[in-house]
Amino acid sequence: MADQLIIFDTTLRDGEQSPGASMTRDEKLRIARQLERLKVDVIEAGFAASSNGDFECIKAIAEVIKDSTVCSLARANDRDIARAAEALAPAKSGRLHLFLATSALHMEKKLRMTPDQVFEQAKQSTRYARNLMDNIEFSPEDGYRSDPDFLCRVLEAVIAEGATTINVPDTVGYAVPELYGQFIKNLRERIPNSDKAVWSVHCHNDLGMAVANSLAGVMLGGARQVECTINGLGERAGNCSLEEIVMAIKTRKDYFGLEVGIDTKQIVAASRMVSQTTGFVVQPNKAVVGANAFAHASGIHQDGVLKARDTYEIMRAEDVGWSANKIVLGKLSGRNAFKQRLQDLGVSMESEADVNAAFARFKELADRKSEIFDEDILALVSDESVAQGVEQYGFVSLSQRSETGERPQASIVMTVDGVEARSDSDGNGPVDASLKAIEKQVKSGAEMVLYSVNAISGSTESQGEVTVRLQNSGRVVNGVGADPDIVVASAKAYLSALNKLHSKSDRVAAQG
Ligand code: KIV
Ligand code: ZN
């Protein structure tokens, strides 16, 4: 039997550390459920000690996820570890992930600790963690830039204290494939008890080599766990992308000879969900999940694919979850068809009342738009928490007037903590006027650092999906809104970003 490769997804932790990618509790829960459907082995749900919000998210995820191990990151100190263990208490299967920097640069400049102090702390904290839980992962942060002799000393000690997984991060994306693979091989050969732990790779994509480095860590180094994220989301240029590494292992099984437990048909739904939740658009030519990944424009290629698909395709679009027929529902579709479609898209609703609310919104949309695409449905359910009225600011209605040569005017009716409020403004254009009207009411003082509009399903009849990125007091959040009217979509996106700004307290960064 082929070796099994453990897929450790960190979209909800390292992914969420991308500037602007912060997610609400409901969004994280929805993504965690999709990761479980995808059958990832481990879901890193967050960093419990970084904020009360993260603690609550991890706890909520630990309560509902049954088929994947739920993991929390923790700095290698007793307080962080205890907090992470508390958040993971309800998990059927939980893992504590400890990290402590080991490179000379990080120890001296960031931690201001000597190597001996770091060694002791790594040992003590692993011992403490192992008393709370059996499943312990240890990551020497900036491991790839650490002195191999020192790393061997630390890793041997933490394995002796009971660490069950050793993860070797290329924290700053500096590695190249062959050297990274050799680095891990060398550690495994030199550390006498290395066979007592599973070895893991965690590569950042600063030089665009995260997937290649991870594969080298597996093939040359003998690692059997890969840490990755949906769409390659993550700090700076991101992490190793789950969909790319999984499809590489599957498609080139002849070479890699490894098994992964992933249900690849859930990949596209996961990618869309993460993209729509965070507002990080997937580039069209992105491998596996980009809109063009299976599109053939040239006549020669089209002709070849029609005659025999494998002339130009090495994977089948349907195997990664692209549905052949993208038009799904319309005005006459019933509740059962809608519910079935939600299931096909991997969206699970907590109660029948939630399905009813989403169906009512679907009907409203179908009145305005004749064909409803999968993307429209996903956008509808991304707006779910707003629809449920659980947010501080809610959208009620918008009217705006613009005419050539006149300054546009907008009038918004919104809810603030459930109470309706109305506000008017003018602006340079209808979107500007609408957002200024909201700002007049909310007075957030936030700076807008990004505004982008995307046609969800590619025609003028489609819904506009707007992403707004706001920055306030050093915090950056993205809000996403969808509507056939792009001015309304913009107002929804702005309100969603404001809700995120208000819902999260300051957090500690993992690579601070
Ligand atoms: O990149 C990194 O070093 C990390 C660790 C916290 C594992 O994300
Ligand atoms: Zn990382």
Side-chain angles (χ1 to χ4, degrees):
M1 215 183 93
D3 266 356
Q4 190 76 17
L5 186 63
I6 298 168
I7 300 296
F8 175 115
D9 180 277
T10 182
T11 306
L12 299 177
R13 197 281 295 171
D14 212 322
E16 207 209 13
Q17 283 171 216
S18 300
S22 76
M23 300 169 223
T24 64
R25 179 179 170 280
D26 283 355
E27 289 167 344
K28 283 190 156 192
L29 263 172
R30 199 175 316 132
I31 291 174
R33 287 205 179 92
Q34 179 59 22
L35 293 172
E36 187 182 37
R37 273 189 291 273
L38 189 60
K39 297 197 188 337
V40 305
D41 300 286
V42 185
I43 298 174
E44 187 162 53
F47 176 7
S50 70
S51 70
N52 289 339
D54 240 31
F55 175 87
E56 293 302 335
C57 285
I58 297 168
K59 194 156 167 261
I61 291 171
E63 275 158 9
V64 300
I65 297 298
K66 301 290 170 229
D67 297 335
S68 308
T69 295
V70 180
C71 170
S72 170
L73 186 69
R75 283 168 297 195
N77 66 57
D78 293 0
R79 190 193 149 269
D80 268 33
I81 295 169
R83 190 86 177 129
E86 194 186 338
L88 292 172
K92 190 168 162 210
S93 161
R95 175 184 292 188
L96 286 169
H97 179 186
L98 279 49
F99 75 99
L100 182 62
T102 49
S103 66
L105 186 65
H106 278 227
M107 290 190 291
E108 188 193 327
K109 303 278 188 232
K110 187 180 87 170
L111 299 176
R112 296 182 202 286
M113 286 168 78
T114 64
D116 283 345
Q117 287 170 326
V118 167
F119 174 80
E120 278 309 319
Q121 188 167 326
K123 244 174 75 163
Q124 296 298 338
S125 58
T126 307
R127 182 177 309 161
Y128 179 74
R130 189 57 206 250
N131 282 330
L132 300 177
M133 211 172 256
D134 289 341
N135 193 341
I136 307 294
E137 173 167 332
F138 182 86
S139 288
E141 192 193 3
D142 206 17
Y144 179 66
R145 291 194 302 171
S146 303
D147 169 41
D149 293 343
F150 179 61
L151 208 48
C152 284
R153 194 176 150 222
V154 171
L155 297 182
E156 182 181 349
V158 297
I159 296 171
E161 293 296 344
T164 43
T165 300
I166 295 295
N167 179 46
V168 185
D170 177 22
T171 303
V172 292
Y174 182 68
V176 291
E178 204 177 340
L179 298 182
Y180 183 67
Q182 284 295 347
F183 189 78
I184 294 180
K185 183 168 187 273
N186 183 31
L187 292 176
R188 288 184 58 237
E189 282 170 1
R190 289 182 56 194
I191 296 175
N193 53 2
S194 68
D195 61 326
K196 303 279 180 305
V198 173
W199 287 72
S200 167
V201 289
H202 177 111
C203 298
H204 280 268
N205 204 30
D206 299 65
L207 293 173
M209 291 190 281
V211 174
N213 288 336
S214 302
L215 287 170
V218 170
M219 293 306 280
L220 269 174
R224 285 297 175 265
Q225 172 176 288
V226 171
E227 303 203 347
C228 47
T229 58
I230 304 291
N231 299 337
L233 200 67
E235 288 259 3
R236 308 180 307 279
N239 285 68
C240 170
S241 128
L242 180 145
E243 57 280 3
E244 292 178 20
I245 195 140
V246 164
M247 289 319 290
I249 296 282
K250 286 250 179 198
T251 309
R252 295 305 312 271
K253 187 158 181 229
D254 59 315
Y255 175 69
F256 294 113
L258 292 164
E259 294 285 357
V260 284
I262 296 295
D263 177 359
T264 59
K265 289 204 162 61
Q266 296 291 339
I267 284 180
V268 167
S271 162
R272 285 183 186 157
M273 194 182 280
V274 169
S275 163
Q276 291 194 331
T277 305
T278 57
F280 280 54
V281 176
V282 174
Q283 76 199 51
N285 58 330
K286 167 86 170 63
V288 186
V289 293
N292 286 354
F294 293 88
H296 301 277
S298 104
I300 296 173
H301 287 205
Q302 283 174 351
D303 181 52
V305 168
L306 286 174
K307 287 178 178 145
R309 189 200 328 232
D310 52 4
T311 49
Y312 288 101
E313 281 186 7
I314 56 164
M315 296 172 269
R316 288 160 22 117
E318 51 273 38
D319 288 349
V320 295
W322 287 104
S323 53
N325 178 5
K326 293 186 82 191
I327 298 172
V328 284
L329 300 172
K331 199 174 172 162
L332 300 177
S333 307
R335 185 181 177 284
N336 280 347
F338 175 71
K339 197 174 163 190
Q340 181 59 49
R341 197 60 213 154
L342 285 179
Q343 269 167 22
D344 295 346
L345 287 170
V347 177
S348 68
M349 296 254 153
E350 266 165 35
S351 66
E352 285 302 305
D354 289 348
V355 177
N356 290 344
F359 184 59
R361 289 152 59 70
F362 160 77
K363 280 290 186 188
E364 265 171 39
L365 180 63
D367 274 341
R368 291 186 287 157
K369 187 171 183 294
S370 55
E371 290 170 333
I372 307 289
F373 294 81
D374 291 356
E375 290 85 344
D376 294 316
I377 295 179
L378 287 168
L380 262 180
V381 297
S382 317
D383 269 3
E384 193 189 338
S385 48
V386 180
Q388 288 167 353
V390 293
E391 306 280 20
Q392 183 173 17
Y393 304 117
F395 176 84
V396 178
S397 65
L398 174 72
S399 70
Q400 42 86 16
R401 215 175 60 81
S402 61
E403 208 178 311
T404 314
E406 298 286 316
R407 193 158 167 84
Q409 306 283 331
S411 176
I412 179 121
V413 181
M414 56 188 277
T415 52
V416 181
D417 292 322
V419 179
E420 272 195 20
R422 184 197 154 106
S423 148
D424 308 300
S425 176
D426 58 6
N428 282 344
V431 171
D432 188 47
S434 305
L435 303 195
K436 282 197 167 118
I438 296 175
E439 192 53 35
K440 228 175 172 179
Q441 178 67 41
V442 173
K443 299 186 180 57
S444 76
E447 181 196 351
M448 189 181 300
V449 287
L450 176 118
Y451 171 83
S452 85
V453 188
N454 178 36
I456 286 189
S457 43
S459 76
T460 51
E461 214 230 3
S462 72
Q463 291 202 89
E465 183 175 67
V466 173
T467 304
V468 164
R469 184 174 298 167
L470 298 182
Q471 183 167 356
N472 204 3
S473 314
R475 293 188 52 234
V476 184
V477 294
N478 278 345
V480 183
D483 196 275
D485 178 336
I486 60 161
V487 187
V488 172
S490 306
K492 287 182 176 173
Y494 195 74
L495 289 170
S496 140
L498 288 174
N499 279 320
K500 286 188 178 173
L501 268 185
H502 285 82
S503 74
K504 291 233 163 183
S505 53
D506 284 344
R507 46 176 50 226
V508 175
Q511 285 137 30

